Amino acid sequence: MNRRKSFAVTLALLAAGGIALTAWTSLAGASRNGGSLTGAGSTFVQPLVSKWSGVYHASQINYSGIGSGGGIAAISSRSVDFGASDAPLSSDQFSACHGCVQIPWAFSATSIPYNVSGVGYGLKLTGPILAGIYLGKITRWNDSRIKGINPKVKLPDEKITPIYRSDGSGTSYNFTDYLSHVSKAWKNKIGRSTQPNFPTGVGARGSSGVAGLLGRTPGGITYVDVAYSLKSKFKIAAIRNRANKFQLPGLRQIQAAAASITKLRNSQNAYTAVDPNPRQPKAYPICTFTWAIVPLKTGKAADVKRFIDWALTKGQPYGPKLLFVPLPQVVKQAARKTVARIHN
């Protein structure tokens, strides 16, 4: 009960923070003394970038939430000054981006909301059950595998409708990365991808698209960043972690997942945060970094470096009200070293 109350308080704080989800954020003012920067990509990080753009005074920041795939394409074609993605670049994307670097600058969670008749908040689910649902192997909400971990919940004989992102999405990458960690069947048949070939379900574009579709679909389930679940007032599942604890994506649970990252094993800043170490029993298991993607050489080097370094330092305290937690120290240090390499 205490855990649920704590999560409710966190969501109330998020709502009080006034999440901005407009397509473009243009907040020019007389006090801004630098040039403008244009970015595009992740809808996941858009609320935080919107907040940053409102308080950052060195440049005007214009950001379009078009999805991670769109952001990667936009920075690769140099139609924006920075991209944003919730999935690290693949080797092919690195090549196509012609000298880009990726910089982790925020950390949050992917929630699993559902629309099940008569079922309240915090339905317990596991990774293998989620994989079974999205593989089309678990098709009714009163399936014995779901009932077995929810003995006190009256589950209806209702069809399960999996809902997924139809566009290139870092959230899809985070979700399928998690499923690949916890289900051999998923890893072997589907794997992790920004645009996986889901064998069943219904697709929708963008975070707002899947959230809207879930609201209209009795028996539906989807994956979306926790801010959109809050905005839509969805019921959210508690997911079992490696310590065999069922956790909701609250601020403390996301922070516990971040705290599990103490060593870096990738020189290109491509870190995974799913299914964290069981030594963090409070950790929510479907968390992700989100990355800024910028050319190593750019005519706007000074402005880009200033903004991203500000986001990594003074910008981090703006995250918690939006359910983004401060970056692990080791990650922040590596990110700032990468920023320092950007040049004209």
Side-chain angles (χ1 to χ4, degrees):
M1 181 63 72
N2 288 338
R3 180 181 65 180
R4 185 170 174 179
K5 285 182 178 179
S6 173
F7 187 64
V9 169
T10 301
L11 292 184
L13 283 172
L14 202 166
I19 299 174
L21 296 175
T22 55
W24 281 92
T25 299
S26 181
L27 295 168
S31 62
R32 300 186 190 276
N33 53 29
S36 65
L37 292 174
T38 300
S42 163
T43 56
F44 190 106
V45 80
Q46 185 174 0
L48 183 56
V49 177
S50 295
K51 180 62 179 179
W52 283 342
S53 68
V55 295
Y56 182 70
H57 296 293
S59 298
Q60 175 186 344
I61 309 299
N62 301 304
Y63 183 76
S64 177
I66 59 174
S68 296
I72 292 169
I75 189 61
S76 296
S77 66
R78 300 300 191 264
S79 58
V80 293
D81 300 311
F82 67 92
S85 172
D86 311 318
L89 296 174
S90 67
S91 57
D92 288 344
Q93 288 170 333
F94 263 120
S95 296
C97 206
H98 303 294
C100 287
V101 290
Q102 58 190 5
I103 302 162
W105 63 347
F107 188 89
S108 190
T110 298
S111 63
I112 307 297
Y114 50 87
N115 182 3
V116 185
S117 303
V119 175
Y121 205 90
L123 181 70
K124 294 178 180 178
L125 294 174
T126 68
I129 286 175
L130 284 172
I133 288 172
Y134 275 84
L135 285 169
K137 304 296 185 182
I138 299 176
T139 60
R140 312 295 297 186
W141 279 109
N142 62 349
D143 184 281
S144 60
R145 285 160 285 193
I146 304 176
K147 290 174 65 176
I149 57 175
N150 294 278
K152 296 181 180 180
V153 179
K154 187 176 180 180
L155 290 160
D157 184 17
E158 185 172 46
K159 178 185 175 182
I160 300 175
T161 300
I163 298 169
Y164 57 84
R165 288 280 293 270
S166 60
D167 55 327
S169 162
T171 312
S172 290
Y173 182 91
N174 182 221
F175 182 58
T176 57
D177 185 25
Y178 169 69
L179 294 183
S180 294
H181 274 74
V182 298
S183 167
K184 288 184 179 179
W186 185 273
K187 182 178 181 180
N188 292 335
K189 292 181 180 180
I190 310 296
R192 62 184 185 183
S193 172
T194 57
Q195 203 160 9
N197 184 22
F198 287 102
T200 188
V202 182
R205 275 189 81 82
S207 297
S208 59
V210 295
L213 184 55
L214 179 66
R216 304 189 299 271
T217 307
I221 185 171
T222 194
Y223 56 92
V224 70
D225 66 86
V226 68
Y228 275 88
S229 281
L230 169 73
K231 182 175 182 288
S232 302
K233 299 181 180 179
F234 289 139
K235 295 163 185 174
I236 301 174
I239 309 300
R240 188 177 67 190
N241 63 20
R242 284 175 66 193
N244 291 317
K245 304 293 184 182
F246 288 90
Q247 299 290 2
L248 290 160
L251 201 58
R252 291 181 181 177
Q253 291 80 5
I254 300 170
Q255 181 63 63
S260 71
I261 300 171
T262 57
K263 294 182 180 179
L264 303 183
R265 297 180 175 86
N266 189 291
S267 61
Q268 294 181 321
N269 297 328
Y271 314 126
T272 184
V274 301
D275 198 29
N277 195 299
R279 288 194 294 269
Q280 293 288 344
K282 292 183 179 179
Y284 179 72
I286 319 177
C287 290
T288 184
F289 290 98
T290 183
W291 290 263
I293 303 169
V294 298
L296 196 57
K297 184 177 181 180
T298 170
K300 290 192 174 181
D303 288 334
V304 169
K305 291 174 70 172
R306 189 182 298 113
F307 171 58
I308 296 180
D309 198 65
W310 178 92
L312 291 168
T313 52
K314 294 182 180 179
Q316 293 294 298
Y318 293 100
K321 284 188 177 181
L322 302 175
L323 288 183
F324 288 89
V325 304
L327 293 173
Q329 189 63 27
V330 65
V331 174
K332 184 169 75 171
Q333 289 174 350
R336 295 190 74 190
K337 286 181 180 179
T338 304
V339 172
R341 295 170 53 206
I342 299 170
H343 62 275
N344 286 309

